[in-house]
Amino acid sequence: AMLPRLYHIFKYYKLKLLTSFLSLDSSLIVRNESAIRQLNDPGLSQPQLAFKIALERQPMKIIVMCWGVLVCSATYLIRVFESTEGNSFSIYLWDQMWLVIVTSTTTGYGDLVPQTHLGRLACGLCMMVGPMLVSLMTATFSRNMALNHRENRLMQTLDKDRLEAQILVAATRIIQSWVRSRHRYFASEPNSNYALRLLLAADQIDRASRHLLLQDLMDSQQIL
């Protein structure tokens, strides 16, 4: 009696996906005949398209639902198939669910092993469907963690502002170095020849530091 129930549950979710994401109500209201023809195209698989749209718009909900259907269905099948007389398999529901989880995630501790051929068939189904769900979950997580267009644009703006700030700091240091070198030697004796010689010597000493600052400024401009 449980298998027909699982079938009806599958049909219910299939119909719900079709009515939620491929409804023609709006197209009929606006009389968009092109959308109606495209949706009724014989070469178009409506359930597959509805599943793709649902996975794109509600990825975590669909993945959790698929995991729940797999675990519950396989647990029930193993419980039924392994409940034969004289079978030493565990009678506890949590043990059978544990077997489904470790099998579908390809962990396989080996603490529980099905004894019947049908039970092994159910575990084989978990081995095939489980890795697909794991890879689907990984791809969805990676896609959601990637930066979107708006976040990329914000990151580029922040990087540009940081480089412009470095240019301003380098230019300010150059101006400060030039002003301080002249103020230091002309503040006490502005008309002294000795101060002029010291200024020329200071220019030679500070040239290396100013060259480094100019190099930083040019590098920042090239990056921008």
Side-chain angles (χ1 to χ4, degrees):
M2 188 63 184
L3 291 179
R5 293 178 184 176
L6 293 177
Y7 174 76
H8 287 298
I9 291 175
F10 171 77
K11 296 290 291 185
Y12 167 76
Y13 279 107
K14 176 183 176 181
L15 182 61
K16 185 176 181 180
L17 285 176
L18 292 174
T19 55
S20 299
F21 299 102
L22 294 180
S23 177
L24 289 175
D25 294 341
S26 301
S27 299
L28 291 174
I29 293 175
V30 299
R31 297 181 180 180
N32 189 352
E33 298 180 359
S34 176
I36 298 175
R37 286 196 301 269
Q38 292 179 16
L39 190 58
N40 292 325
D41 186 0
L44 178 66
S45 176
Q46 294 186 7
Q48 183 178 1
L49 178 60
F51 182 78
K52 289 181 179 180
I53 297 175
L55 186 61
E56 178 68 25
R57 297 180 179 178
Q58 301 175 353
M60 296 307 300
K61 181 179 179 180
I62 297 300
I63 291 175
V64 171
M65 184 184 68
C66 291
W67 272 112
V69 171
L70 174 64
V71 172
C72 294
S73 302
T75 300
Y76 173 76
L77 292 177
I78 292 176
R79 184 174 180 82
V80 172
F81 296 150
E82 297 296 323
S83 297
T84 57
E85 185 177 358
N87 195 342
S88 60
F89 192 80
S90 176
I91 62 175
Y92 296 105
L93 177 65
W94 295 114
D95 290 339
Q96 296 151 6
M97 187 175 294
W98 171 254
L99 174 62
V100 172
I101 293 174
V102 297
T103 304
S104 59
T105 56
T106 66
T107 303
Y109 285 114
D111 52 348
L112 293 174
V113 180
Q115 304 295 326
T116 63
H117 295 295
L118 293 177
R120 293 170 184 172
L121 180 62
C123 288
L125 178 65
C126 295
M127 295 176 190
M128 291 185 293
V129 179
M132 291 190 293
L133 292 178
V134 171
S135 61
L136 185 62
M137 182 172 58
T138 304
T140 303
F141 180 77
S142 301
R143 185 176 66 251
N144 291 334
M145 290 300 295
L147 298 177
N148 55 32
H149 176 70
R150 182 178 180 182
E151 293 170 344
N152 278 321
R153 186 172 58 184
L154 176 59
M155 183 184 65
Q156 293 174 0
T157 302
L158 294 176
D159 291 340
K160 182 179 179 181
D161 292 343
R162 184 174 64 254
L163 293 176
E164 289 181 353
Q166 292 176 359
I167 292 175
L168 293 176
V169 171
T172 303
R173 289 178 179 177
I174 293 173
I175 296 173
Q176 289 177 348
S177 176
W178 182 83
V179 172
R180 288 173 181 174
S181 63
R182 279 148 183 79
H183 178 74
R184 185 167 56 248
Y185 296 106
F186 281 96
S188 58
E189 298 181 8
N191 297 323
S192 174
N193 293 329
Y194 177 70
L196 181 59
R197 289 195 298 271
L198 290 178
L199 178 61
L200 293 175
D203 286 339
Q204 296 294 330
I205 295 173
D206 294 339
R207 182 176 299 174
S209 61
R210 286 197 295 269
H211 176 73
L212 294 176
L213 292 174
L214 284 173
Q215 187 65 35
D216 293 339
L217 180 62
M218 294 174 62
D219 292 341
S220 299
Q221 289 178 340
Q222 290 178 357
I223 295 176
L224 288 177

